Amino acid sequence: MKNQKSGKNVNPNDIPQDYAAMEREFQNLSFSEASLSGVDLSGTDFSHANFNGADLSKVNLSGSKLVWADLNRANLNQANLSWVNLFHASLLWANLNEATLSGANLSSARLNHANLKFVKLIETNLTEVDLQGAVLTHADLTRANLFKAILKETDLTDANLDDAILRESNCEGAILRAACLRRVDLEKAQLQETILNEADLTKADLIGADLSHADLTNAILVEVSLELASLLNTDLSGSNLEQASLFNANLEGAVLKRANLRNTDLRHANFKNAYLEGVDFYGSRVKGALFNDVVGLTEQQKQWLKGNGALNICYL
């Protein structure tokens, strides 16, 4: 099917020739189901265009504009989308396997259930993006901005999010198993029931975050900021929280079996009903921390905790 543009017909098959003739304006056109695999279309304006179901595998769209474009179910496998403007674009169920989107603008874009395995999103703008149900296993999101992003039930297994911004993001039920989250900003993020086992969160900012019912088994949480965080019924078994701050955090019902809390700030934290067998409290600050009905403490630990200002230590 042909498209009408500026008084002339434009056929999807003619795009490479039009591009070679220096045409760069293709706004508001439909290329649904078109095949443009491997074509160089860098620096082109496809704003409001329809690429629904199109084959754009290995295409070069670097520096192009796809504002409000429809890329639902499009095949963008190994496509070059670096520095592309995809503001408010729709990429539902799209295939972006091994695509490059570094430096791109994906703010407010919708990528629900998209395939983003091994994708490069380095320093990409993903503010308020919707990635619910998407798959980003092994993706590289180093220094990406995901402020207020929706990552509910998103699979980020083995992904790299070092130095990324996820402040106030919704990661409820997300899978971040073995992910790199060093120095990540997750302040006030929603991480309920999130899977973070064996993840590296060294020096991460989790102030005020909600990690209720999350799985943080064997996670690296060295020097993490968890002030005012909710860790209600969270599993922290085998986790390393050395030099972390849990000042005024709520760990009611949390499981910390064999957790490392050496030199950790636990002042005014709530450990009510927590499971603390094998926890290492060496050098930690516990003044004002609540230990109502905890399980697993040795008598020696109880004496040490009480002697250092912990409250409600129960002796049997």
Side-chain angles (χ1 to χ4, degrees), residues 38-314:
V39 176
D40 182 7
L41 297 169
S42 56
T44 305
D45 190 348
F46 286 108
S47 296
H48 299 274
N50 177 10
F51 285 98
N52 195 302
D55 182 5
L56 298 166
S57 56
K58 298 183 180 180
V59 71
N60 181 7
L61 284 162
S62 59
S64 295
K65 293 175 67 175
L66 287 129
V67 175
W68 287 95
D70 179 352
L71 291 144
N72 296 332
R73 300 184 183 276
N75 180 12
L76 288 148
N77 182 58
Q78 297 183 3
N80 182 357
L81 298 160
S82 54
W83 303 102
V84 169
N85 188 351
L86 284 153
F87 174 71
H88 262 295
S90 185
L91 296 106
L92 309 181
W93 300 96
N95 178 19
L96 290 138
N97 182 64
E98 296 186 24
T100 299
L101 292 112
S102 297
N105 177 16
L106 282 149
S107 58
S108 301
R110 295 186 299 156
L111 292 104
N112 308 65
H113 306 288
N115 174 14
L116 293 140
K117 295 178 182 177
F118 295 98
V119 72
K120 288 183 173 62
L121 290 155
I122 301 168
E123 297 184 351
T124 300
N125 181 2
L126 293 151
T127 55
E128 300 190 60
V129 71
D130 192 344
L131 284 156
Q132 182 167 354
V135 179
L136 290 99
T137 53
H138 305 283
D140 190 348
L141 294 107
T142 306
R143 297 184 298 280
N145 186 352
L146 292 118
F147 176 67
K148 288 189 175 181
I150 299 174
L151 295 157
K152 293 180 67 175
E153 301 174 359
T154 302
D155 190 349
L156 288 144
T157 302
D158 289 310
N160 186 349
L161 292 114
D162 286 349
D163 300 295
I165 298 170
L166 288 102
R167 185 185 292 252
E168 297 183 39
S169 60
N170 186 343
C171 303
E172 185 176 351
I175 303 171
L176 287 146
R177 182 180 292 113
C180 292
L181 294 145
R182 291 167 292 216
R183 300 170 301 278
V184 69
D185 182 356
L186 279 158
E187 187 168 336
K188 296 182 180 178
Q190 298 177 52
L191 294 150
Q192 302 95 317
E193 300 183 5
T194 300
I195 298 173
L196 285 151
N197 61 305
E198 299 184 6
D200 187 350
L201 290 123
T202 301
K203 296 185 178 181
D205 179 355
L206 286 150
I207 296 172
D210 190 345
L211 291 133
S212 301
H213 304 278
D215 180 358
L216 283 151
T217 54
N218 300 311
I220 301 171
L221 296 155
V222 176
E223 295 186 55
V224 166
S225 299
L226 279 158
E227 294 94 333
L228 303 171
S230 176
L231 295 138
L232 184 68
N233 296 315
T234 300
D235 193 347
L236 291 147
S237 300
S239 61
N240 185 358
L241 285 146
E242 188 165 0
Q243 297 185 62
S245 176
L246 290 103
F247 180 83
N248 211 21
N250 183 11
L251 294 106
E252 185 172 347
V255 179
L256 292 104
K257 186 176 181 179
R258 296 188 302 276
N260 179 6
L261 296 174
R262 293 171 69 91
N263 302 307
T264 300
D265 187 354
L266 305 172
R267 291 175 299 158
H268 302 287
N270 177 16
F271 287 94
K272 183 179 179 180
N273 295 317
Y275 188 77
L276 303 171
E277 182 182 349
V279 171
D280 187 352
F281 289 104
Y282 179 84
S284 61
R285 302 163 69 187
V286 297
K287 186 175 182 179
L290 302 175
F291 285 83
N292 307 60
D293 305 315
V294 297
V295 176
L297 291 177
T298 65
E299 292 302 313
Q300 184 178 5
Q301 284 178 318
K302 291 176 182 179
Q303 292 175 11
W304 184 86
L305 289 167
K306 185 175 182 180
N308 283 275
L311 305 175
N312 300 345
I313 306 296
C314 179

Side-chain angles (χ1 to χ4, degrees), residues 7-66:
K8 66 176 182 178
N9 289 327
V10 178
N11 189 302
N13 296 326
D14 295 334
I15 293 297
Q17 292 89 339
D18 291 343
Y19 183 85
M22 302 307 293
E23 178 63 66
R24 297 292 184 270
E25 304 292 327
F26 298 99
Q27 306 97 321
N28 301 297
L29 300 179
S30 178
F31 306 104
S32 180
E33 306 293 337
S35 179
L36 292 163
S37 179
V39 176
D40 182 7
L41 297 169
S42 56
T44 305
D45 190 348
F46 286 108
S47 296
H48 299 274
N50 177 10
F51 285 98
N52 195 302
D55 182 5
L56 298 166
S57 56
K58 298 183 180 180
V59 71
N60 181 7
L61 284 162
S62 59
S64 295
K65 293 175 67 175
L66 287 129

